Amino acid sequence: MAEMLTQLGSVIGGLVVAYTMFQNYFPREISRPIKYYFKKLINFFYPYIHITFPEFQADGFQRSLAYAAIKRYLNAHSTTQAKHLQATVARDTEAVVLTMASNSSEEVTDDFNGIKLWWASRETPPSSQTISWGPREADKRFFTLTFHRKHRQLICDHYLKHVLEQGKAITIKERRRKLFTNSKGNEGDYYGRRRLWSEVVFDHPATFQTLAMDPVKKQDIIHDLINFSESKDYYKSVGKAWKRGYLLYGPPGTGKSTMIAAMANLLEYDVYDLELTAVKDNTELRKLLIDTSGKSIIVIEDIDCSLELTGQREKNNKDGEEDKKKDEEKDPVKEKLKKMEEKKTSEVTLSGLLNFIDGLWSACGGERIIVFTTNYVEKLDPALIRRGRMDQHIELSYCGFEAFKVLAKNYLNFEEHDLFERIRRLLEETKMTPADVAENLMPKLRGEDKERCLMRLVKAIEEAKVKAEEEEKLKTEKLEEEKKKKAAEEAEEEKKKKEGKMKENGDAEKANDSTNGLVKENGVAENCA
């Protein structure tokens, strides 16, 4: 054994000496073509193919999605095979990702349809010893895939697609979902690039199990959401963009925002809260849409208050001319200031919003849900909420008994109680939002008696009932007073009309009398003559 090692050392030493002599005594003009043709000769007989996947794309700033997906895919294989591991926590997840340490001379094997493949993690140091201000100057990491050249077609067409899909699926499963809001025009990131969305971790606890609404209606919504998330091929077959619209409407405090959180938690989607008043124009609105990811819910809350989007097509030329005349009569200085203020406001139009929801740009990305909320659905333009744009119209109304039972279980862990029947009758007679019911059920002190919470709710509903009856009584009295006032005004008007007619009749009689007298005088004069 010692003899073999000695001979091997001698051979290696001889090769090193030969290579050094080759480098020293052969000029570059001769050594370069010799190396080139020697590599070509080696490659001709070399049976393996190498594919490199760099960490960053060509611009040096954006991380390669393929690299990230491969890293997640190799996570399971690395932990069972590699001896030198590198642990990282991805920015969008709490899961620890274990991969091969870079330049550890280790390889991880994979098997695909009986074909053996080798993955390795490599790293090249920066070319210059300068301070790094971004990923362009940092160490360049990359994965290399090695396989036999006879399997080129299968690996390129099927295996790589399999790896990327599996890596993306693992990423989605482990990721922490985000809540986004559109940024102001002057906001940017560390490198000075414009950021269209700002983000925080989405950690809302609402679920459909805790949502206070009718169970049958709730189950219909759950089935509709799950069916949408599993219908990619169906939407493609019918030639329709993979998106769905939900219009949530009802009085304040009926759970519209909670419904959105429950939808996001059910489907594990990100939420994009779009503030229309912060959008400069229709072009920026399209950019925001393009910058959203799939598996997301785009929300515009209180859309009737966001912008003046209702009744824009109902103004006629006459109204426009009258407005123009009024503007000309106003103070020119005030008009100039008003125009300057108008320039600062959003220029998003109804047409731009319609194209955002249902135009060509709406197909970008896929698997999106668009949600509008409003307290006054009758104010919205019919084109904005028609089927195809807002596919589901969901009314969230006042708290019913079934919704109350959900809240009682959530807050007090009561499924049955003697007071439930009384509360049922009161809720049928009184309008109270789920938010008000929940506030009264919530214990105000640590260890507060649960029955006391129920009694507080009963008292609150009874007070609301009395208040509603008083308001209804005042409203009725006001209507009666208005009717009496109107009747008195009509009687007064009628009286004035009668007096006017009598006066007209009296004047007519006087005129007739004067005419008859004049005729009589003329007749007497004629007789005398």
Side-chain angles (χ1 to χ4, degrees):
M1 187 69 178
E3 249 180 70
M4 287 179 64
L5 291 174
T6 304
Q7 290 177 358
L8 181 61
S10 301
V11 172
I12 293 173
L15 290 173
V16 169
V17 171
Y19 181 75
T20 304
M21 292 177 65
F22 175 78
Q23 290 280 76
N24 292 334
Y25 294 102
F26 283 84
R28 181 174 293 181
E29 290 77 7
I30 297 175
S31 64
R32 182 177 292 174
I34 291 175
K35 288 180 181 179
Y36 174 74
Y37 287 109
F38 181 73
K39 287 181 179 178
K40 286 195 74 173
L41 181 65
I42 294 295
N43 289 335
F44 182 77
F45 293 102
Y46 189 69
Y48 294 100
I49 293 174
H50 301 277
I51 300 178
T52 302
F53 299 90
E55 183 177 9
F56 290 93
Q57 296 180 357
D59 59 6
F61 286 104
Q62 187 174 4
R63 193 178 189 189
S64 168
L65 297 177
Y67 182 91
I70 292 168
K71 189 174 183 179
R72 294 296 179 90
Y73 175 80
L74 293 177
N75 187 16
H77 298 278
S78 301
T79 53
T80 57
Q81 297 182 33
K83 294 180 180 179
H84 299 85
L85 297 171
Q86 182 176 350
T88 57
V89 178
R91 185 174 62 90
D92 58 345
T93 179
E94 293 180 338
V96 177
V97 181
L98 298 173
T99 54
M100 296 169 286
S102 300
N103 291 336
S104 63
S105 71
E106 281 191 292
E107 290 183 332
V108 171
T109 59
D110 193 15
D111 184 272
F112 182 73
N113 294 341
I115 300 170
K116 194 173 183 180
L117 308 98
W118 296 268
W119 286 98
S121 178
R122 298 286 181 258
E123 182 179 300
T124 55
S127 56
S128 59
Q129 300 297 324
T130 58
I131 298 173
S132 174
W133 296 104
R136 185 188 297 274
E137 298 298 330
D139 295 350
K140 296 177 181 178
R141 293 184 290 268
F142 55 90
F143 288 115
T144 58
L145 172 64
T146 305
F147 57 92
H148 200 281
R149 61 186 177 186
K150 67 180 179 181
H151 303 302
R152 178 197 290 265
Q153 197 71 25
L154 183 64
I155 300 303
C156 293
D157 293 347
H158 300 285
Y159 176 70
L160 293 180
K161 184 179 179 182
H162 163 76
V163 170
L164 296 179
E165 287 179 351
Q166 290 293 316
K168 288 178 182 178
I170 295 169
T171 302
I172 291 170
K173 186 178 179 181
E174 294 179 347
R175 72 189 174 112
R176 298 187 69 183
R177 289 175 296 110
K178 301 293 182 64
L179 173 62
F180 297 85
T181 185
N182 47 311
S183 307
K184 293 289 185 182
N186 58 352
E187 291 185 12
D189 62 7
Y190 182 80
Y191 301 107
R193 298 170 299 182
R194 170 77 188 280
R195 291 175 59 195
L196 295 176
W197 296 97
S198 300
E199 63 188 59
V200 295
V201 174
F202 181 75
D203 197 21
H204 200 290
T207 64
F208 275 98
Q209 285 71 31
T210 61
L211 187 64
M213 67 181 301
D214 181 74
V216 177
K217 191 174 182 179
K218 185 193 299 186
Q219 202 59 42
D220 289 342
I221 296 169
I222 292 172
H223 288 325
D224 189 75
L225 289 167
I226 293 174
N227 181 62
F228 164 78
S229 66
E230 297 174 350
S231 299
K232 180 180 180 180
D233 294 334
Y234 174 77
Y235 274 81
K236 187 176 181 180
S237 67
V238 298
K240 190 176 180 181
W242 193 14
K243 64 178 185 61
R244 193 156 179 79
Y246 288 82
L247 174 67
L248 309 182
Y249 64 97
T254 52
K256 295 183 285 293
S257 298
T258 307
M259 166 74 80
I260 295 168
M263 293 166 70
N265 286 328
L266 175 70
L267 299 176
E268 296 185 348
Y269 282 7
D270 291 324
V271 178
Y272 288 85
D273 185 13
L274 178 60
E275 178 56 55
L276 279 179
T277 55
V279 182
K280 182 181 177 183
D281 50 28
N282 294 335
T283 302
E284 185 171 332
L285 188 63
R286 287 194 292 269
K287 290 180 181 178
L288 285 165
L289 177 65
I290 294 170
D291 204 44
T292 61
S293 62
K295 292 186 177 294
S296 61
I297 300 176
I298 301 174
V299 180
I300 304 178
E301 293 200 87
D302 297 320
I303 189 169
D304 54 297
C305 303
S306 297
L307 288 176
E308 185 56 44
L309 298 170
T310 58
Q312 291 186 358
R313 298 175 295 176
E314 297 175 2
K315 294 181 179 179
N316 52 34
N317 295 331
K318 186 178 179 181
D319 294 336
E321 290 173 3
E322 289 178 359
D323 292 341
K324 190 176 180 180
K325 287 179 182 178
K326 289 178 181 178
D327 291 341
E328 290 174 354
E329 292 172 359
K330 291 179 181 178
D331 187 350
V333 177
K334 290 182 179 179
E335 284 302 308
K336 189 174 181 181
L337 291 172
K338 186 178 178 182
K339 286 179 181 178
M340 290 174 66
E341 288 177 1
E342 287 175 352
K343 286 181 181 179
K344 295 178 183 178
T345 60
S346 174
E347 296 178 5
V348 175
T349 63
L350 178 61
S351 174
L353 186 60
L354 295 179
N355 288 327
F356 173 83
I357 302 165
D358 199 33
L360 293 173
W361 294 95
S362 66
C364 301
E367 198 171 0
R368 287 192 183 93
I369 290 176
I370 300 173
V371 179
F372 291 166
T373 71
T374 179
N375 297 332
Y376 307 100
V377 67
E378 65 278 357
K379 290 185 178 181
L380 300 180
D381 192 295
L384 190 64
I385 59 175
R386 69 161 175 82
R387 305 292 177 177
R389 290 194 174 110
M390 294 293 106
D391 304 285
Q392 286 276 11
H393 293 190
I394 301 172
E395 182 181 8
L396 297 172
S397 189
Y398 295 100
C399 187
F401 183 66
E402 294 298 329
F404 157 74
K405 288 202 297 185
V406 175
L407 292 172
K409 182 172 177 56
N410 292 343
Y411 287 90
L412 304 175
N413 200 25
F414 275 157
E415 294 187 4
E416 289 294 337
H417 195 275
D418 296 339
L419 290 171
F420 275 23
E421 190 58 35
R422 185 178 174 185
I423 292 172
R424 179 204 288 272
R425 290 195 303 270
L426 288 170
L427 288 175
E428 289 173 354
E429 298 169 356
T430 311
K431 291 180 179 179
M432 181 173 274
T433 65
D436 290 332
V437 173
E439 179 60 28
N440 284 286
L441 286 175
M442 183 180 292
K444 305 302 180 186
L445 300 171
R446 183 178 293 178
E448 185 177 13
D449 185 59
K450 296 179 180 179
E451 291 192 7
R452 185 178 176 184
C453 297
L454 279 178
M455 286 302 300
R456 181 169 59 236
L457 174 63
V458 171
K459 184 180 178 182
I461 300 175
E462 288 175 344
E463 289 175 353
K465 182 182 177 182
V466 171
K467 186 178 178 180
E469 288 174 351
E470 290 176 353
E471 289 177 353
E472 188 66 28
K473 186 179 178 181
L474 290 172
K475 188 177 178 181
T476 305
E477 289 175 356
K478 190 176 180 181
L479 287 173
E480 288 295 329
E481 288 178 3
E482 288 178 356
K483 284 181 182 179
K484 288 178 181 179
K485 188 177 179 181
K486 189 175 181 181
E489 289 175 353
E490 289 176 354
E492 186 68 24
E493 188 71 24
E494 190 66 27
K495 185 180 178 181
K496 288 180 180 179
K497 286 181 180 178
K498 286 180 180 180
E499 290 176 352
K501 285 181 180 179
M502 289 174 68
K503 189 177 180 182
E504 288 176 3
N505 292 335
D507 292 341
E509 287 177 2
K510 287 180 182 179
N512 289 335
D513 291 342
S514 61
T515 303
N516 292 335
L518 183 61
V519 171
K520 192 180 284 186
E521 288 176 2
N522 291 336
V524 171
E526 287 176 358
N527 290 334
C528 291

